[in-house]
Amino acid sequence: MSDAGHASPAVPRRRRALNLAYLGLVPSWLLMGFALLMPIMIVAAVSVSTRGAYGGFDWGFDLTGYRQILFNEGWTGEMEFTPQYLMIILRTLLLAAVTTIICLSLAVPVAYYIAQQPARRKSLMVYLVTLPFWMSMILRVYAWMIILGKDGPLPRFLEIFGAPQGLSLMYNDGATLAAMVYTYIPLMVLPVFASIEKLDGTLIEAAHDLYGNRWVTLRRVILPLTAPGIASGAILVFVPALGAVLEPILMGGGKQMMMGSLIQLQFGGGRNWPFGSAIAVMLLVFVMIVLIVLARRAALKEATT
């Protein structure tokens, strides 16, 4: 009885401390709900509404926006399979995946080289990696338009090796891919660098002592131990690459429609807000599935180790 009497006053104090902690988080919850959850809920609600007579939307439950992704109403009123939007989705996934792979293949050696530098030079190189973020993305894309465009530095350089005069490398998937890699590669370098910097150098020396060449050391030591940084960088690159708008429009000339430009078109000139919202919701669901799968794999790997 005496132990219970001594312990009981601590319980209300602990509860009051927890209540104060929760109350302190209320502004953060309100901000997250207003800035994150509410826009998502609005877009989800618009995706199941009806298209207005003059564009926009009217409140009312209708799944036409989702159905339009795969089916369209023919002249006879029957539903016909239309693969055009499915092809846009697949093209976007492919371009985002290729962008992520190229960024990863370039980021690993760059991050490893930066991690091996002295502290002063390392800080300078990290600053140089983040320097493009100090400039507007539109200006960066326009810079690539000048580099790859007609009479640009790169076409003039290729003329030395026999390329035709007046060559333009713009308005194709290659130009779009180049701009996307340039835009998103810092998002890959930084988390990979953070993982490599924490890597124990004695493990690399031990791999070389055991007659492992550079490729074996990279594959068996460096990549597995830096997997969290690689996964974080892949997410940071792949997710925004799915919704890229500027690069496909400016660098690709709008010739190949991507999901980001398709959504922008539906909310702009197309004025089909339910269809644009449905595509946005499908993109959000796909990204959430990818994140959940990666999180579960990371949790299982951590549990086994």
Side-chain angles (χ1 to χ4, degrees):
M1 293 295 292
S2 60
D3 293 340
H6 287 297
S8 57
V11 175
R13 280 199 297 270
R14 213 175 297 125
R15 287 179 179 175
R16 283 196 297 270
L18 288 175
N19 292 334
L20 290 175
Y22 285 129
L23 287 176
L25 293 175
V26 168
S28 301
W29 291 341
L30 292 176
L31 180 61
M32 291 180 62
F34 181 77
L36 297 178
L37 296 180
M38 186 179 295
I40 294 175
M41 293 174 63
I42 292 174
V43 172
V46 174
S47 69
V48 294
S49 62
T50 59
R51 184 180 182 182
Y54 302 100
F57 70 99
D58 292 328
W59 292 115
F61 186 77
D62 190 1
L63 296 177
T64 303
Y66 290 95
R67 186 185 62 195
Q68 190 177 348
I69 298 176
L70 294 178
F71 299 96
N72 198 6
E73 187 174 348
W75 293 101
T76 59
E78 297 180 354
M79 292 294 104
E80 299 177 353
F81 175 69
T82 53
Q84 56 181 349
Y85 296 120
L86 182 61
M87 295 301 296
I88 292 174
I89 294 173
L90 294 177
R91 186 187 305 120
T92 304
L93 292 175
L94 177 61
L95 187 60
V98 173
T99 301
T100 304
I101 293 172
I102 294 177
C103 287
L104 177 61
S105 61
L106 296 176
V108 170
V110 171
Y112 184 80
Y113 177 78
I114 296 175
Q116 301 304 312
Q117 301 304 308
R120 192 170 180 179
R121 188 181 302 174
K122 186 186 304 181
S123 301
L124 176 62
M125 290 186 174
V126 171
Y127 169 77
L128 293 177
V129 170
T130 60
L131 189 61
F133 289 131
W134 293 42
M135 186 182 298
S136 171
M137 184 181 294
I138 297 178
L139 295 178
R140 285 182 278 162
V141 174
Y142 270 108
W144 272 99
M145 293 178 67
I146 296 174
I147 294 173
L148 300 180
K150 187 177 180 180
D151 296 329
L154 186 57
R156 284 184 175 275
F157 175 76
L158 295 177
E159 289 177 7
I160 301 176
F161 300 95
Q165 293 184 355
L167 175 66
S168 177
L169 302 177
M170 286 289 299
Y171 310 128
N172 51 55
D173 289 341
T176 303
L177 182 61
M180 291 179 65
V181 169
Y182 169 76
T183 301
Y184 300 121
I185 193 170
L187 300 177
M188 180 71 77
V189 173
L190 294 177
V192 174
F193 162 74
S195 294
I196 293 179
E197 192 179 26
K198 300 176 183 177
L199 187 64
D200 189 357
T202 58
L203 297 176
I204 299 177
E205 295 178 0
H208 290 306
D209 292 339
L210 295 174
Y211 304 101
N213 56 31
R214 293 182 178 181
W215 169 246
V216 173
T217 303
L218 176 66
R219 184 171 55 90
R220 301 290 296 272
V221 178
I222 297 177
L223 292 182
L225 294 178
T226 58
I230 293 175
S232 300
I235 293 172
L236 291 175
V237 171
F238 183 75
V239 172
L242 288 175
V245 177
L246 288 176
E247 293 87 350
I249 293 178
L250 297 179
M251 301 296 295
K255 295 181 179 179
Q256 297 290 345
M257 186 72 68
M258 310 299 290
M259 287 184 66
S261 52
L262 177 61
I263 295 172
Q264 185 270 339
L265 177 63
Q266 298 305 317
F267 279 94
R271 295 189 58 80
N272 191 350
W273 291 18
F275 181 47
S277 299
I279 299 174
V281 170
M282 293 250 336
L283 178 61
L284 175 64
V285 170
F286 176 79
V287 170
M288 292 300 298
I289 291 174
V290 171
L291 294 178
I292 291 173
V293 170
L294 291 176
R296 288 182 62 87
R297 288 187 60 184
L300 290 174
K301 186 174 181 179
E302 185 177 354
T304 54
T305 56

